[in-house]
Amino acid sequence: MVGKPNRQVAVFGAGYIGLVTGACLAELGHRVVVRDISADKISLLKAGDVPIYEPGLGDMIARNKERLTFTLDLREALDGAEVAYVCVDTPPSASGDADLSKVWSVVRSLEGASHLKAVAVKSTVPVGTGTRVRAALDAAGLAHVGYAANPEFTAEGTAVNDFMHPDRIVVGASDEATARLIAELHEGVDGPVVVMDVRSAEMVKLASNALLATKISFINEIATLCEKTGADVEDVAGAVGLDHRLGRHFLRPGIGWGGSCFPKDSEALRQLANNTGYHLQLLSAVIEVNNLQKRRAVQKLKDALGDLAGARVALLGLTFKPGTDDMREAPSAVLAARLLAEGAEVRCWDPMARPAETEPWTSTSRHASPEAAVEGADAAIVVTEWPQLREVDWAQTAAVMRRPVMFDGRNMLDPAEMRAAGWTYMSVGRP
């Protein structure tokens, strides 16, 4: 325990953000009740199991079991709560705007909770949402309850550390008292508190993710140009990243970004601009580059193999990044769908992924190891940079393939070593 137990907090949503928020607030000494409408999730959590994989989260929940509880019951969650945190997901709607139906469901459920001091939204929402929530709270007789936008900046695989040691804690509050309250909740967190107005705080989250996505798409475009000119993108990115004005982070070429944040937030920001009558040309290009990057991987295999009809292709890694079981917007889904459309047989390996029982996954096969996935295959694609792939005996693996062709979509293996091991090896932006 870092801080002193001094606040009662209700957290709505037991997903990645809600569980990390609840566990970390309990670690700071607060009494936290996490409420979700999924009976399966709450049943698992009450039994001591965590329904998602996030390093350190299970241990933190177990360590704080006296201050951290889970419930399906709204009244139990709100009983005595001073702050209600909204941590539900906001997926894209059919129009590309953020679907705020779960946010509004939580806001409506707060009617009558006059004992609350503040409502804080961690969910990523369009700029202007806070104004609408403020009006809804006022109409529900909760005008005395403060409102804050307190966006999260955690990355899956490092979320617990990101919460406890953030670059910044952004608090957009409707009044000074609410800003102080939210800041006090974070006492013991190793990071500066940055206070601003609600709309600016909402924009910070969207702008941050859009800028990170831009860096990835930029280096992927440079990688394509490196392939055409004979330059090595690894050397280029390394030297560019030494510039203190630019930095090394997110200058890694690959098959594109995915996950729960970058695709959704980039599209949400673009739609927000479109709704104001302004077209974000740069961001639109960033999204287009990312969409094309996955398809370029399939084209490289076609160039190497010829017709993909009847070819066996192994996808090595399915999650959008290592260290998580999250399949949301994973590049592997696009790759699998495109390969199947070309008539290929798709074989898959991933140590953590749990693909949905839907297409394209129902038309693929799962294998227990990278070696098993590539046996008898014509090609392999490194999709996720799981460290297990560095331990594979690639010379031995090449010998059990029909045609040892590899596209390394994460540049994690050494080109000279792979070619010496008998592979026709291709990567991103390396000659």
Side-chain angles (χ1 to χ4, degrees):
M1 183 176 69
V2 178
K4 297 179 180 179
N6 57 354
R7 297 290 184 188
Q8 178 79 26
V9 180
V11 174
F12 289 86
Y16 280 90
I17 303 308
L19 284 180
V20 171
T21 297
C24 290
L25 289 175
E27 179 82 355
L28 292 169
H30 304 295
R31 297 179 300 278
V32 181
V33 180
V34 177
R35 191 247 179 169
D36 200 279
I37 60 174
S38 169
D40 289 341
K41 277 186 183 180
I42 296 302
S43 178
L44 284 170
L45 288 162
K46 284 186 172 182
D49 295 324
V50 182
I52 59 173
Y53 177 74
E54 183 61 43
L57 181 59
D59 291 340
M60 182 175 280
I61 289 175
R63 187 165 62 245
N64 291 284
K65 61 183 179 180
E66 298 301 320
R67 290 187 298 276
L68 180 61
T69 56
F70 306 94
T71 186
L72 291 165
D73 189 272
L74 173 65
R75 288 174 297 180
E76 181 182 348
L78 288 175
D79 185 27
E82 298 173 81
V83 179
Y85 260 102
V86 181
C87 299
V88 295
D89 60 316
T90 54
S93 65
S95 66
D97 298 287
D99 181 351
L100 301 181
S101 56
K102 293 181 181 178
V103 172
W104 289 116
S105 179
V106 174
V107 172
R108 286 192 297 269
S109 74
L110 301 178
E111 186 173 0
S114 57
H115 56 282
L116 285 172
K117 294 182 179 178
V119 174
V121 170
K122 273 205 173 293
S123 302
T124 303
V125 297
V127 178
T129 300
T131 301
R132 296 170 59 199
V133 174
R134 175 72 272 166
L137 293 174
D138 293 348
L142 300 176
H144 62 286
V145 178
Y147 178 81
N150 181 211
E152 55 83 22
F153 299 98
T154 54
E156 291 177 34
T158 60
V160 171
N161 184 72
D162 292 343
F163 189 104
M164 301 301 289
H165 305 279
D167 294 322
R168 74 288 201 200
I169 303 162
V170 174
V171 180
S174 58
D175 58 85
E176 291 184 7
T178 300
R180 286 196 301 270
L181 174 57
I182 301 303
E184 289 170 5
L185 282 177
H186 292 82
E187 286 185 2
V189 171
D190 179 25
V193 176
V194 183
V195 177
M196 61 191 68
D197 64 274
V198 172
R199 288 175 180 260
S200 296
E202 292 168 338
M203 181 65 84
V204 167
K205 176 60 187 296
L206 295 171
S208 294
N209 279 347
L211 182 55
L212 294 176
T214 298
K215 291 187 73 172
I216 298 172
S217 285
F218 174 79
I219 201 62
N220 278 335
E221 286 230 281
I222 294 300
T224 300
L225 192 56
C226 284
E227 291 175 8
K228 294 182 180 299
T229 60
D232 189 322
V233 73
E234 298 290 333
D235 291 337
V236 173
V240 169
L242 291 174
D243 190 322
H244 70 277
R245 299 168 300 175
L246 303 173
R248 298 182 178 183
H249 294 302
F250 291 84
L251 285 179
R252 292 196 59 192
I255 54 175
W257 34 267
S260 62
C261 290
F262 284 4
K264 174 178 68 71
D265 294 352
S266 296
E267 189 59 44
L269 185 58
R270 180 163 68 168
Q271 289 300 329
L272 176 67
N274 289 343
N275 293 340
T276 68
Y278 181 68
H279 177 60
L280 287 175
Q281 298 183 62
L282 177 59
L283 185 57
S284 294
V286 166
I287 294 170
E288 182 180 359
V289 168
N290 192 62
N291 291 337
L292 288 172
Q293 199 69 9
K294 308 173 188 71
R295 289 161 174 79
R296 291 188 70 247
V298 176
Q299 185 60 50
K300 286 195 173 190
L301 288 192
K302 290 181 70 174
D303 292 342
L305 298 176
D307 191 356
L308 291 178
R312 293 176 183 169
V313 180
L315 298 183
L316 303 180
L318 299 179
T319 58
F320 84 95
K321 63 184 286 189
T324 179
D325 59 355
D326 197 348
M327 292 285 294
R328 287 177 289 181
E329 299 292 336
S332 60
V334 176
L335 293 172
R338 287 298 312 133
L339 289 167
L340 290 168
E342 294 284 346
E345 173 190 337
V346 179
R347 303 159 64 87
C348 304
W349 166 82
D350 191 287
M352 295 295 302
R354 291 175 287 186
E357 291 297 320
T358 58
E359 290 292 346
W361 306 118
T362 50
S363 296
T364 68
S365 59
R366 294 291 302 277
H367 300 269
S369 67
E371 293 88 346
V374 303
E375 185 174 355
D378 298 286
I381 304 178
V382 175
V383 184
T384 313
E385 59 270 42
W386 286 105
Q388 293 93 321
L389 294 176
R390 292 192 174 90
E391 301 167 5
V392 173
D393 184 334
W394 291 110
Q396 182 177 330
T397 304
V400 300
M401 294 184 69
R402 291 198 304 205
R403 287 183 285 182
V405 174
M406 175 180 284
F407 174 64
D408 184 352
R410 298 299 179 185
N411 287 5
M412 70 176 300
L413 303 173
D414 181 82
E417 291 179 3
M418 292 301 291
R419 292 181 183 120
W423 286 83
T424 298
Y425 177 84
M426 300 168 288
S427 55
V428 184
R430 296 190 291 185

